[in-house]
């Protein structure tokens, strides 16, 4: 079994929380009925499903009737976007240029159905400013998407400010649905922005926070007309027999790891990780040629309001990212060069839109951490990165 001690690819997936998965399995075995059936076995399973829904909602500090269970983060991103296809008239959508492929690539597909797709550029530091959204806003804009935390750079996007800007710009007019991908934010930074009335939907994924693959959640503060139809489960928003095992596991992970005032243990983990990451960045910057991405990120400005301390990207020009990844893997350290969903591709659209140079882009690697990551392990990682960099220098 691969050791978690030197696993630094938590942004791709988190190791399973075994206690939670076992508890969720016991729940699904005990409540084996179809939650949509009206007999006792079904209503028993329905009760357990609604308990999972309430637990998830409580962790996110939102009403239970705003939570819908899905097959994962990608589907939770797709449902609000594809709901546009049920409209008779076409219009425009605005998507930040740093979105995860789940949003970015689906937005491109929307162009084939007659929708205009506008990509809002970030600044050179990877932040999508409200102005970048508002200047692209049109009278027919029906959908806006900006992720909460970028999965490559860790940059925390000002989604609450964007929501306020949209509310102000659309006063007296129909406001576009504002969607936030929270997959890299849940369990990592506070999600208090969810309570902002300008945020209409948000996506979550269980396997990023210790849960199983194949289960996610969608937050919807306003009603949408789903494009995909079926048996009408999840109040018609997401048809298909409900995954009680997955929903239970997701809810327990949300309860355990969500960062909020109600969860002091998670808040303490966050503050501890900030200190670990400050030291890690200092260690990286001691390596000759190391460049942080974005360039403005330093140990002195490390803050969960600006960057997720759980994701760090750096470049070592002269050492291709995949070479660094393989060299570290040979030493028993596991990192990545970016989104696992795009690992088969060599293009880096997020870095392209930030204006990162070709040499830095080619050499960029991502280090991502979790609650089992120790400071000693991060120190050891930095030492091995330095050793590999020195080998290439010679």
């Amino acid at each position: 079994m691969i050791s978690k001690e030197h696993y630094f690819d938590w942004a791709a997936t988190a190791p399973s929380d075994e206690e939670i998965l076992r508890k969720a399995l016991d729940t699904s075995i005990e409540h084996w009925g179809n939650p949509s059936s009206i007999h006792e076995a079904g209503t028993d399973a329905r009760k357990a499903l609604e308990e999972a829904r309430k637990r998830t909602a409580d962790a996110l500090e939102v009403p239970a009737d705003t939570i819908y269970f899905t097959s994962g983060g990608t589907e939770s991103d797709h449902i609000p976007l594809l709901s546009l296809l049920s409209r008779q008239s076409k219009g425009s959508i605005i998507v930040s240029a740093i979105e995860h492929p789940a949003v970015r690539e689906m937005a491109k597909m929307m162009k084939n159905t007659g929708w205009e797709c506008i990509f809002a550029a970030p600044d050179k530091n990877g932040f999508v400013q409200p102005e970048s959204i508002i200047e692209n806003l049109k009278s027919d804009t029906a959908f806006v998407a900006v992720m909460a935390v970028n999965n490559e750079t860790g940059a925390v996007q000002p989604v609450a400010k964007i929501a306020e800007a949209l509310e102000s710009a659309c006063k007296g007019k129909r406001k576009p649905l504002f969607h936030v991908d929270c997959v890299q934010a849940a369990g990592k930074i506070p999600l208090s922005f969810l309570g902002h009335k300008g945020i209409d939907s948000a996506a979550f994924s269980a396997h990023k926070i210790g849960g199983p693959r194949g289960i996610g959640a969608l937050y919807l503060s306003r009603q949408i007309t789903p494009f995909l139809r079926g048996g009408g489960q999840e109040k018609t928003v997401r048809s298909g027999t409900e995954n009680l095992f997955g929903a239970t596991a997701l809810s327990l992970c949300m309860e355990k790891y969500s960062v909020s005032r109600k969860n002091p243990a998670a808040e303490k983990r966050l503050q501890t990780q900030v200190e670990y990451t400050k030291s890690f960045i200092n260690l990286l910057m001691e390596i000759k040629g190391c460049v942080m991405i974005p360039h403005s990120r330093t140990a002195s400005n490390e803050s969960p309001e600006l960057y997720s301390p759980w994701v760090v990207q750096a470049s070592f020009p002269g050492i291709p990212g995949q070479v660094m990844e393989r060299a570290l893997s040979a030493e028993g350290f596991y990192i990545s060069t970016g989104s696992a969903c795009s690992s088969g591709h060599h293009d880096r659209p997020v870095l392209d839109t930030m204006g990162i140079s070709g040499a830095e882009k080619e050499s960029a690697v991502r280090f991502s951490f979790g609650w089992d990551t120790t400071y000693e392990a991060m120190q050891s990682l930095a030492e091995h990165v330095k050793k590999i960099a020195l080998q290439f220098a010679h």
Side-chain angles (χ1 to χ4, degrees), residues 77 81 95 99-108 145 179 181:
D77 283 328
L81 184 53
V95 172
E99 291 302 294
H100 186 277
V103 173
R104 187 177 64 244
E105 296 304 314
M106 184 53 73
K108 291 178 182 178
H179 177 72
D181 182 328

Side-chain angles (χ1 to χ4, degrees), residues 100-247:
H100 186 277
V103 173
R104 187 177 64 244
E105 296 304 314
M106 184 53 73
K108 291 178 182 178
M109 289 297 295
M110 293 292 287
K111 293 171 68 175
N112 298 334
T113 69
W115 284 83
E116 180 185 6
C117 179
I118 302 167
F119 288 97
D123 60 25
K124 64 181 180 180
N125 297 315
F127 297 100
V128 179
Q129 301 298 342
E131 299 78 32
S132 183
I133 299 299
I134 301 306
E135 68 187 16
N136 285 297
L137 196 63
K138 296 185 175 184
S139 60
D140 65 355
T141 302
F143 182 89
V144 174
V146 180
M147 68 196 324
V149 174
N150 184 260
N151 53 297
E152 294 190 40
T153 67
V156 177
Q157 303 305 313
V159 292
K161 290 182 179 178
I162 292 171
E164 289 173 7
L166 283 169
E167 290 276 310
S168 178
C170 298
K171 195 165 289 183
K173 298 176 288 185
R174 184 182 178 89
K175 185 183 78 69
L177 186 149
F178 181 33
H179 177 72
V180 181
D181 182 328
C182 291
V183 168
Q184 290 294 344
K188 306 297 177 65
I189 66 168
L191 297 176
S192 54
F193 56 81
L194 273 185
H196 194 290
K197 64 178 182 178
I199 294 176
D200 303 297
S201 61
F204 303 89
S205 177
H207 78 96
K208 305 292 188 181
I209 51 173
R213 300 169 184 84
I215 182 69
L218 171 65
Y219 162 75
L220 280 176
S221 69
R222 72 191 229 191
Q223 193 171 5
I224 63 170
T225 302
F227 175 70
L228 298 177
R229 308 297 176 92
Q233 292 90 344
E234 296 298 287
K235 294 188 289 186
T236 76
V237 167
R238 199 278 178 178
S239 292
T241 302
E242 299 91 343
N243 177 358
L244 179 57
F245 163 73

